[in-house]
Every structure is written in C-alpha cells, then in structure tokens.
Amino acid sequence: MIDLRSDTVTRPTAAMRQAMAEAEVGDDVYGEDPTVARLEELSAERMGMEAGLLLPSGTMANQVAIYTHTRRGDEVIVEAEAHCYYYEVGAMAALAGVQARTVAGDRGYVAPQQLAAAVRPDQLQFPRTRLLCIENTHNRAGGAVIGLERMQATIGAARRLGIRVHVDGARIFHAQVATGTPAAELVRGADSAMFCLSKGLCAPVGSVLVGSKEFIAEARKTRKLFGGGMRQAGILAAAGIVALTEMVDRLGEDHQRARRLAVALAEMGFAVDPRTCETNMVVMDTEPTGVDGATWVSRLAAAGVQVGATGPWRLRLVTHRDVSGPDIEETIRVFARFADRKSA
Ligand code: TLP
C-alpha cells in the first residue's frame, strides 16, 4: 500500500529508535527529564522564543495555548477552516469556554483589514476579542504557505489591535523549507506557536508549544489540567530531537514529489491546480469526474493507493518520508488507469 492519507503515518527512523532506546530519562512532572528539557530548549531556540513545552499532540498544544491565552467568554479569531476550529472536536468551546469568530481567508491567510474588521469594539454587549490563531502551513488550504511578509503584516496588525497571536505551526518547517525563511522569522512577534514532531518529521508522538517563559510556565499548568503531564517522556523527546535536527531539510523532497504528482494529475486532465501545490499536499476536486471522494478513496485503495477525502468531492494526497519517488510514479500510473473517467 502507498499511504498518502497524511504525513502523520510515517514510522520513526532507525536513528530515532536508537535515540529512544538510549535516552536519559526522569520524571518530567517533577521537571527531571533531561531529554525533554533538551528538546524544549532546542525547540524554543529554533522558533526564536524563550521557552518550550512538550505535549502529546498538536491538538493539545493548540488547546493548551488557547486556554492559557484566554478567559471564558472571550472571542478567538480563526481562519474559517483552521484546524483548531474545524478538526479539534469543538475543544476551544468545550475546554476554554471561548467562542470562535471565523474569517474566510485567502488560502488560509487572514489579511490585516479582515482582522481589524473582526475585532470587537469595547462595548458592553460584546465579548472581548483576545486571540488570533494563524495556521501555517494551512492544512485545509492544501498545505498553503503564508510567507514572511503576510505573516508579519497580520501579526503586526494584531499587536496594534491589542490582541494576542498563536501560530498553529503544525507544519511550520514545511513553510520554512518552501520559503527559505527560518520558522523563527515567520512567527516573530507572535505570543506563542506550536509545531508537530510527528507530521512529516517522522517522530512517533509529540508537539512543542513555545512562547515567553511566563506563558510557558502557565501553559505547563494548563497541560497538567488537561491530563497531559507525562513522566519518562524523554523516550519520546529523544525521537523529537532527531526529528528537529535531522529531518527538517529533507522536507524539500516531499514538496518535489507532491509537485510531480500534482503536475502529472493535471496533465491527465484531473482537476488539480499545481500552482496551489506549495508544500507536501495535493488537492483534487473529484466533481468533474462525477464520482464522489469516498468512491475515489475505495477505488484507489483497491489499486494499492490510500488517500483521504477531505470533503464530499475532494481528495487530499500527502507526501512524506515513507512515500518514495517510485511510489509517486506508481500512484501516477494508478490514476492513469482511471484517466478515461476523468469527466462525468
Ligand atoms: N492534522 C491531521 C488531521 O487532524 C486532519 C492531518 O492528517 O493533517 N494543526 C494542524 C494544522 C494539523 O494539520 C493537525 C493534524 C493538528 C493541528 C493536530 O495535530 P494532532 O493530530 O497531533 O492532534
């Protein structure tokens, strides 16, 4: 099976398994795990922030950030299809007790004027707008990158408007590799950011939240509240250190493979726009084929290719380390078999 459902399906590398076996560990709830401490420091440094906090998932990292930044009844501005709103089980309402105000972005990008229009004036009946969440790369926009200028424009606007900024950088290193701009530059001025060690970077588990020392101290308490305090987590952090130090630069390979796939599918006449393939995701609109996403998923699975349906008429194909160049060529051949059915 060629698994293009997500870049979360990667297995840890041999170097990771070895580092995990040999990791020096301690009880991290007591703050005694040296490997976790090392990963958190390294993460903060890579992201240009003061401190870091290891969490079990990207979802928990986002929700710990939202909970820590806000008070019940606050409003949080999110892009209309942001992961923390769209895919996190309503957690910002259920856990932090805040409501989302959604803004439809340009491929995930919320411009300063849109932000300014969404911030609530100081008025008795309104909730307080406390936080803006920016997602980079943007998952449902097909791995779209928000470049330096746009990131800084919106972060700067949020600061002037007096609201905090959290960056869901689950795939911020994909943005770094695609733009050549260090992740720390992209998130400069934000109050917090998180990135995932287990998406594309191949670690088995883990996301890191970064921010100021005070913010991370508070977030550490929220993590405990959410049941996310981990004990000998150095076993996981060891793989995370390998992810961060050895796996970032190879992401460019995933981007090239996604592009090769996007161009080939477009050439066969499928509704794929290669111009929107900026990182490791390919999005295909199945509507012109007259066949819905779920049917395409089973059709392709029967031919040895697993993909995801991210809407009734939409497929998402994600490249990662466990999908090789020959796997991409095979995927193209499988699609070619269906090319005669590309239109209804
Ligand atoms: N995304 C997953 C699914 O949940 C959709 C995927 O396969 O892409 N932020 C962003 C931008 C994400 O894409 C994800 C995971 C998360 C947060 C949550 O991370 P986890 O899955 O570790 O909770």
Side-chain angles (χ1 to χ4, degrees):
M1 274 290 189
I2 298 167
D3 196 344
L4 293 160
R5 287 172 304 166
S6 182
D7 50 7
T8 58
V9 303
T10 50
R11 261 146 273 205
T13 65
M16 285 178 185
R17 289 179 188 270
Q18 192 179 340
M20 292 170 84
E22 292 168 1
E24 205 187 320
V25 297
D27 189 327
D28 186 52
V29 173
Y30 288 99
E32 290 172 2
D33 190 304
T35 311
V36 171
R38 200 143 52 81
L39 171 63
E40 290 177 343
E41 265 167 44
L42 185 64
S43 302
E45 184 197 303
R46 293 286 155 99
M47 298 294 282
M49 300 265 185
E50 282 177 5
L53 182 70
L54 175 64
L55 292 123
S57 68
T59 300
M60 200 190 283
N62 279 337
Q63 297 303 328
V64 162
I66 292 169
Y67 185 100
T68 308
H69 281 304
T70 59
R71 287 199 307 199
R72 296 184 73 76
D74 283 348
E75 202 158 67
V76 175
I77 299 178
V78 293
E79 199 284 327
E81 296 206 350
H83 194 283
C84 65
Y85 164 74
Y86 196 96
Y87 282 127
E88 297 184 9
V89 207
M92 72 168 79
L95 303 177
V98 295
Q99 68 184 19
R101 180 135 201 218
T102 60
V103 177
D106 168 22
R107 302 201 67 233
Y109 171 64
V110 174
Q113 315 82 277
Q114 291 179 289
L115 177 65
V119 171
R120 303 280 196 156
D122 182 13
Q123 209 251 61
L124 182 66
Q125 288 164 307
F126 290 152
R128 285 193 186 89
T129 305
R130 186 83 62 178
L131 179 68
L132 164 73
C133 295
I134 304 177
E135 186 175 314
N136 193 10
T137 62
H138 194 288
N139 185 342
R140 287 193 59 82
V145 172
I146 304 176
L148 182 62
E149 216 173 292
R150 288 183 145 196
M151 282 297 281
Q152 286 304 312
T154 302
I155 292 171
R159 296 201 78 85
R160 286 191 296 280
L161 291 160
I163 62 171
R164 299 185 191 186
V165 180
H166 168 68
V167 179
D168 174 348
R171 296 183 181 81
I172 195 73
F173 292 108
H174 291 78
Q176 168 175 308
V177 167
T179 58
T181 309
E185 287 295 301
L186 293 171
V187 306
R188 188 163 34 86
D191 298 277
S192 61
M194 78 83 167
F195 63 89
C196 295
L197 298 160
S198 58
K199 285 173 196 72
L201 299 183
C202 300
V205 177
S207 295
V208 185
L209 178 65
V210 296
S212 68
K213 280 196 184 122
E214 300 73 45
F215 173 78
I216 291 299
E218 205 47 42
R220 192 175 292 280
K221 221 168 151 56
T222 311
R223 182 185 68 175
K224 195 76 185 80
L225 171 72
F226 286 6
M230 297 178 285
R231 302 295 176 173
Q232 286 72 36
I235 299 278
L236 302 175
I241 291 169
V242 177
L244 209 46
T245 55
E246 293 179 19
M247 306 305 286
V248 171
D249 291 341
R250 64 152 305 284
L251 294 175
E253 219 170 82
D254 298 342
H255 299 177
Q256 279 165 13
R257 288 184 182 146
R259 201 164 174 81
R260 157 84 185 124
L261 187 56
V263 168
L265 296 183
E267 277 171 5
M268 278 186 253
F270 290 109
V272 170
D273 183 354
R275 286 169 307 180
T276 64
C277 176
E278 297 175 75
T279 56
N280 67 329
M281 295 185 188
V282 178
V283 176
M284 177 175 138
D285 175 5
T286 71
E287 204 160 4
T289 69
V291 175
D292 66 19
T295 308
W296 267 101
V297 168
S298 39
R299 182 193 258 191
L300 291 165
V305 177
Q306 288 178 285
V307 306
T310 52
W313 300 95
R314 182 147 69 140
L315 298 183
R316 184 185 74 158
L317 294 80
V318 188
T319 56
H320 52 78
R321 184 175 176 273
D322 294 349
V323 176
S324 65
D327 288 340
I328 293 295
E329 299 311 313
E330 171 60 14
T331 303
I332 293 167
R333 279 194 294 276
V334 166
F335 270 93
R337 275 189 240 155
F338 298 114
D340 56 326
R341 293 190 237 164
K342 64 183 174 290
S343 52

